[in-house]
Amino acid sequence: MDVLLAQFLTGLAGASSLFLVASGLSIIFGVTRIVNFAHGAFYMAGAYLAWTLTERLDGAAGFWGGILLAALAIAALGAVIEIVLLRRIYHAPELLQLLATFGVTLVFQDLAVAIWGPEDLVGRRAPGLRGAVEILGQQIPAYDLFLVFLGPAVLGALWLLFHRTRFGILVRAATQDRDMVAALGVHQKWLFTGVFALGIFLAALGGALQLPRGGVSHAMDLQIIVEAFVVVVVGGLGSVAGAFVAAFLVSELNALGILVLPQVSLVIVFAVMAIVLVARPFGLFGRPEGAPRPAVAITIRPWRPMDTRERAWTAAGVALAALLPLVAGGYVLTVGAELLVFALFAASLQFMMSTGGLVSFGHAAYFGLGAYGAALAAKGLGWPMPAGFLAGMLLAAAGAAAFGWFCVRLAGVYFAMLTLAFAQITWSVAFQWTSVTGGDNGILGVWPPSWAASPAAFYWLCLALAVLGVAALRVIVFSPFGFALRAVRDSGLRAEAIGIDRKSLQWRALVIAGLAAGLAGALFAYLKGSVFPDALGIPTSVDGLVMVLLGGVETVSGGVIGALLFRALSIVLMSQTDSSKLVLGLVIITLVVAFPRGVVGSLDALRHRARGARP
């Protein structure tokens, strides 16, 4: 009992820091609808800056003043980024802001390494709270007890801010209906800036207060952002009280799960999130929204199939790509095959997002299931490569069918987070089921047969399958099924009113996207000769989102160009510079500002504008 109590109090201390970060994220999303992927980066920046200030300022006043100054400085930086970057793209599709904040995250990661070095930093102990308090025979750090009381104090301060000030009333009103707030004459730009700065202040304060507990590392941003998203969704979007309760729940599950259920400690939080979302689609304290905004912006110009000229240009591009083995060596062909694999993966995600209006944060689940299906068929059953491809596609489709049955009951960010939960559950199974998947050691020796073993042969195989896969998805987009799916995307209520079964249609779209992603994963397994749990991880899902958004979420197949551009830039920069994330992040930010509808979408808009200007 004494050990459980100590672990329980440790969980409460962690809940306070997590609540600070998650409440800021919830406030930002509730008002601005920005999926702020850089929230973890601001948390990390607050911790690093606090370390610098507390090391240079003496005494208790220097320590606590350094904590507060670090949070205020990062909040000011967040306000500048909102004004300079995000305000420029508020008119663009809402998801494009996720891409911009992803670029900010990459910049912060390399800047942190360049300024503070790659090693973890250990901060000072908090003055006046360096000892421990004995409770039931267990020594509990006094600083942990301080954090336990800090969380409710911050919750009370936020309640007073939102219920007793004009700013807070406007924030609550904008969370419920920001269009009505604008119609009443409220200056939205400065409201958004104030909300963004407040959210970043809370995140930076959470990072700074974590300094005496666990130090600082350049990987802490990704660790906290996933848990913060879980807390926000479980608690309910825009609900500070919900974030407080969910932070307590998540932290205690992490703290006690290691003692009570160590075998499922990696997955228990995401399993609980999945259960909560299935039972309460809007979170514990969330409210149902009357008319949800489309997850993907509706383009003004209706889509149309390629005309003769466009088909000719596409065929010429494919033919030119097919000639690459005649002039390139093995390394270039291997890179080219990888680009084609991820082009197919991006096309499968774009089919879900652009045609179905379903934004997935866990699309890597189907990519990884396809890779593991092919690897298990090749190594465990001795099947040939074509049968391995089929096994990977069927396993991915089965996963999409099972997960999709639950996911299609939700919409918007709740749908996206439930896909993330299922992806993390799948990752944890692959990581811990060592007797089948090999765990962290993976499955090795998954090589193509002799007729496809050379770089040129496998490149041609990837090119053929990628072209066929993308073409098949385009055919489905312009089929009656695709038109019905787009009707559901544009207006689910109207589609259901004329007899279209929304859930059934979106479920089938998920299965189709899972098939295509599974094929990409199977190709990836044979390309690399091995499969690891990383194929199912969050970074793979994020890469897929970046590819689609970079290409253009309002296009039919812009994700293909986005994949080629993003993967090529990543590979080239990693081989040419130690600051590859910094350069890639700046390139992404520049592209977002220059091409607010994605590269392909913006170029297509310019082309149509030029045609309209002709006499």
Side-chain angles (χ1 to χ4, degrees):
M1 179 61 70
D2 55 347
V3 176
L4 288 177
L5 177 61
Q7 199 72 0
F8 176 78
L9 292 176
T10 301
L12 284 180
S16 293
S17 295
L18 182 57
F19 165 65
L20 288 173
V21 181
S23 61
L25 184 63
S26 181
I27 293 167
I28 290 174
F29 183 85
V31 176
T32 67
R33 289 301 186 268
I34 295 176
V35 182
N36 185 18
F37 197 82
H39 208 67
F42 289 111
Y43 167 85
M44 177 184 68
Y48 270 115
L49 185 56
W51 180 87
T52 299
L53 293 177
T54 54
E55 289 295 316
R56 296 189 177 186
L57 301 176
D58 298 327
F63 179 86
W64 297 110
I67 295 287
L68 183 59
L69 285 175
L72 290 173
I74 299 302
L77 176 62
V80 171
I81 291 176
E82 192 276 339
I83 294 172
V84 174
L85 174 60
L86 297 178
R87 188 177 290 184
R88 294 173 177 268
I89 56 176
Y90 278 137
H91 63 282
E94 289 181 350
L95 282 173
L96 197 69
Q97 291 133 20
L98 182 149
L99 181 59
T101 56
F102 175 73
V104 172
T105 300
L106 294 178
V107 172
F108 272 43
Q109 287 177 345
D110 262 8
L111 284 179
V113 174
I115 297 173
W116 288 281
E119 301 296 330
D120 294 354
L121 303 177
V122 179
R124 287 169 53 192
R125 303 295 297 273
L129 298 172
R130 295 178 180 177
V133 178
E134 183 175 343
I135 301 178
L136 295 180
Q138 294 290 322
Q139 296 292 324
I140 308 299
Y143 188 76
D144 281 6
L145 295 178
F146 163 75
L147 291 179
V148 169
F149 290 102
L150 179 66
V154 173
L155 175 63
L158 289 175
W159 187 91
L160 291 175
L161 174 66
F162 292 141
H163 290 81
R164 294 292 184 266
T165 65
R166 173 176 170 77
F167 173 77
I169 293 172
L170 291 177
V171 169
R172 288 193 294 125
T175 301
Q176 296 180 12
D177 192 339
R178 62 175 183 172
D179 293 330
M180 181 59 70
V181 171
L184 292 174
V186 176
H187 198 295
Q188 276 198 333
K189 289 183 178 180
W190 291 113
L191 177 63
F192 285 7
T193 302
V195 167
F196 197 83
L198 174 62
I200 298 306
F201 171 79
L202 292 172
L205 182 61
L209 290 172
Q210 194 69 10
L211 191 62
R213 295 191 75 217
V216 192
S217 71
H218 62 274
M220 62 191 302
D221 58 337
L222 184 59
Q223 297 170 0
I224 195 67
I225 190 63
V226 176
E227 290 188 350
F229 272 123
V230 171
V231 168
V232 168
V233 171
V234 171
L237 293 175
S239 173
V240 176
F244 180 80
V245 173
F248 166 78
L249 179 63
V250 169
S251 296
E252 291 301 339
L253 286 173
N254 284 330
L256 299 177
I258 297 176
L259 291 179
V260 181
L261 297 170
Q263 296 85 0
V264 295
S265 59
L266 293 176
V267 71
I268 188 170
V269 170
F270 293 96
V272 169
M273 181 176 75
I275 294 171
V276 169
L277 289 182
V278 171
R280 287 187 60 85
F282 296 97
L284 295 175
F285 290 81
R287 297 179 180 179
E289 298 179 356
R293 294 166 175 260
V296 177
I298 304 170
T299 182
I300 297 176
R301 291 183 305 277
W303 290 346
R304 58 172 180 77
M306 291 183 179
D307 56 27
T308 304
R309 177 182 296 180
E310 291 168 338
R311 290 177 180 172
W313 279 107
T314 303
V318 173
L320 189 63
L323 297 177
L324 183 62
L326 303 180
V327 296
Y331 173 76
V332 174
L333 293 178
T334 301
V335 171
E338 183 175 340
L339 297 182
L340 293 169
V341 168
F342 278 96
L344 179 58
F345 174 59
S348 67
L349 179 58
Q350 176 136 41
F351 177 77
M352 280 181 56
M353 292 177 60
S354 301
T355 309
L358 302 171
V359 180
S360 173
F361 288 173
H363 203 60
Y366 317 125
F367 181 82
L369 285 174
Y372 271 104
L376 291 172
K379 297 294 293 183
L381 302 175
W383 288 4
M385 187 170 68
F389 288 160
L390 182 61
M393 294 173 65
L394 291 178
L395 184 60
F403 302 157
W405 191 84
F406 297 98
C407 292
V408 295
R409 286 159 172 74
L410 307 179
V413 72
Y414 294 102
F415 173 93
M417 290 303 295
L418 187 56
T419 62
L420 174 63
F422 283 127
Q424 284 301 99
I425 291 172
T426 308
W427 172 85
S428 67
V429 170
F431 189 84
Q432 294 183 315
W433 198 5
T434 55
S435 60
V436 176
T437 64
D440 197 28
N441 295 321
I443 301 176
L444 308 177
V446 188
W447 299 112
S450 57
W451 59 268
S454 68
F458 197 80
Y459 170 83
W460 277 320
L461 176 64
C462 290
L463 177 63
L465 292 179
V467 170
L468 290 175
V470 174
L473 290 174
R474 288 188 65 93
V475 169
I476 296 173
V477 168
F478 294 105
S479 68
F481 173 81
F483 278 100
L485 191 60
R486 281 187 274 162
V488 170
R489 175 203 67 188
D490 295 344
S491 180
L493 294 177
R494 292 180 180 179
E496 290 181 341
I498 62 176
I500 297 177
D501 190 341
R502 179 188 66 83
K503 293 180 181 178
S504 174
L505 208 66
Q506 291 182 333
W507 179 80
R508 282 181 281 167
L510 262 171
V511 175
I512 293 171
L515 275 171
L519 176 58
L523 283 169
F524 186 75
Y526 281 101
L527 172 66
K528 297 298 183 180
S530 58
V531 181
F532 297 95
D534 292 347
L536 295 152
I538 294 175
T540 305
S541 295
V542 173
D543 284 353
L545 282 169
V546 171
M547 295 170 195
V548 174
L549 296 173
L550 195 58
V553 72
E554 294 181 335
T555 63
V556 182
S557 303
V560 173
I561 303 301
L564 299 178
L565 181 61
F566 177 73
R567 293 299 298 181
L569 278 173
S570 300
I571 294 171
V572 170
L573 290 175
M574 288 178 64
S575 62
Q576 297 296 324
T577 177
D578 293 332
S579 303
S580 58
K581 291 182 179 179
L582 173 63
V583 178
L584 182 60
L586 292 175
V587 170
I588 289 176
I589 292 172
T590 303
L591 290 175
V592 166
V593 175
F595 304 101
R597 294 181 178 272
V599 175
V600 176
S602 296
L603 293 178
D604 185 61
L606 290 174
R607 181 168 63 91
H608 280 272
R609 191 178 304 168
R611 284 183 177 181
R614 293 173 184 172

